[in-house]
Amino acid sequence: MSRFFYRFRSVDALLGKHAELKSQQIYFASPAELNDPMEGFKDLYWQGDEIVWRNLIRHYVLLLLNAVMSVIFLGADFDKTLHGPTAHHTEADLPSDDVRKIYADICDKLFAHEVVGELITMLASTSAKVRRDELSFYLRALTPLVFTLAKAALSIPPVDIGDDPAGQAIATSQLNSLGEMIRQRADHPALAEPLFEIGAITTMQITLIHDFNNTLNPTQKAWSFLAREFDDFYVRSLESLVHPAWYAACFLDDASNASMWASYADGHKGVCLKFSADVAQSGDANLSLYQAVGIGGGKNDTRTDYGYRPLPFEAVRYGDDYPEISFFETLGAVQGERLSFWYAGPDGKRSAASAQILGSQDEWRTGYWKDYHAGRVTKTRDWKHESEHRLVLQDSYNQPHALKYRFKDLAGICFGIKTTPEDKLRIMRIIEQKCLAERRTDFEFYQASFSYRTKNIEVVLLPHLKVTLGPGDDDEPRTVPILQSVGDT
């Protein structure tokens, strides 16, 4: 039994640089490439003992120090996007023993400050959940001090970006502000979340005003990013430590929705691919794609094995009930010895937050994967009209994010109302060659058109556009015109 799913694509995606039609590939997009800005959103909060809070600050110092060294080395060529993956780093990933010594020295001096100790104590003792804006505020308050310590250790020359983020006066002022905020939070815990949300918006405005009134060269912009934006960048990057990365290919169960054509098929100038999915006895539909299926070989000679494996179509759910996720108890994407960076104290004592993840309890694993699944198939209510289904590819085996499908599973192609005749012919010629190669005569072409009867877009079968096989054996099919008259078919 089969079930049909429809995938809208632009002509450029099918015939352009990536030639998706000729290569029979389905592209899987990252959450950042999808249309809902809340795709993959994790309702993270931070709550834990002094061990994990101390280690989070150590981790922030590690990544900020790494970014500072990158700016020193690269200058105008600094690219902040390359620092997202460093969220998985620990001190073992620093380039040398000398740098590790500098890092350890910065941490020792940072934690020697009374306010930093007060911050860790407050965070470990509060029963409230610390959200993103609040965490960013605390890290932003520590940034000038880290800059000051890094400047002394690395002999950084003065940085002119309108003010000096590495100045001792600024560091002292920020620590004083931090101390006052800690005391205010203790007295008014219920006001913490709205207060920090307002603070984040205010900080954003101040940054925009500064950048509007000051022209910075590329190197100054890099330093400005570290001084004013790195804290928020860092907090966002922590999401990658919770769940594995994922990528989605989006499908619908209807090809006649005008807004879908406008949004996903280049304003009706593209096409819609019709896929025939296999349906299991359970009723679940899937599509077989050529992908990594395992790793083989020995210790020094590993290989990745590939083959066609079914991926299930997952129905997207629409709502705003994102599950809350405790960061310190959900470091499922952190592997092996790297976990000890987060869960071990200076004396080797283990944090209580590690109990479930290191204990490998079945209940924890079940909840972990349930939250992971919910995050990759949830969109806000504004997109409910799409009734979307998607194939989801988990980031494993370092496989590509464009996978090949079997041509027999492509049942047809529908042209958009504005698809040009030239583009239609280019598509038809590719399909003809594929049909001849596989001896197929059942491929169907459709045309989207406006119906004056229903006042809606309808998808109409084009019965005259058929591939007809000429005489010849199966090994060497004869190429014949794809266009046949009714009398010839």
Side-chain angles (χ1 to χ4, degrees), residues 5-7 26 28-31 33-36 38-40 246-253 264 285-287 311-318 373-380 383 386-393:
F5 290 89
Y6 300 87
R7 179 164 167 81
I26 292 176
F28 287 75
S30 68
E33 296 174 279
L34 300 175
N35 54 18
D36 187 347
M38 297 300 289
E39 285 278 8
W246 57 269
Y247 304 85
C250 305
F251 296 77
L252 303 178
D253 54 13
Y264 305 117
N286 62 74
L287 187 67
L311 271 184
F313 284 94
E314 302 181 29
V316 172
R317 62 173 193 157
Y318 302 91
H373 179 267
R376 67 190 200 179
V377 295
T378 299
K379 299 180 72 170
T380 53
W383 305 96
E386 293 184 347
S387 297
E388 180 187 332
H389 293 75
R390 56 179 49 167
L391 302 177
V392 181
L393 181 66

Side-chain angles (χ1 to χ4, degrees), residues 62 65 90-106:
L62 174 76
L65 175 62
T90 67
E91 65 261 49
D93 297 292
L94 290 172
S96 69
D97 288 339
D98 288 340
V99 176
R100 278 185 279 276
K101 185 176 182 304
I102 290 173
Y103 165 66
D105 185 59
I106 291 174

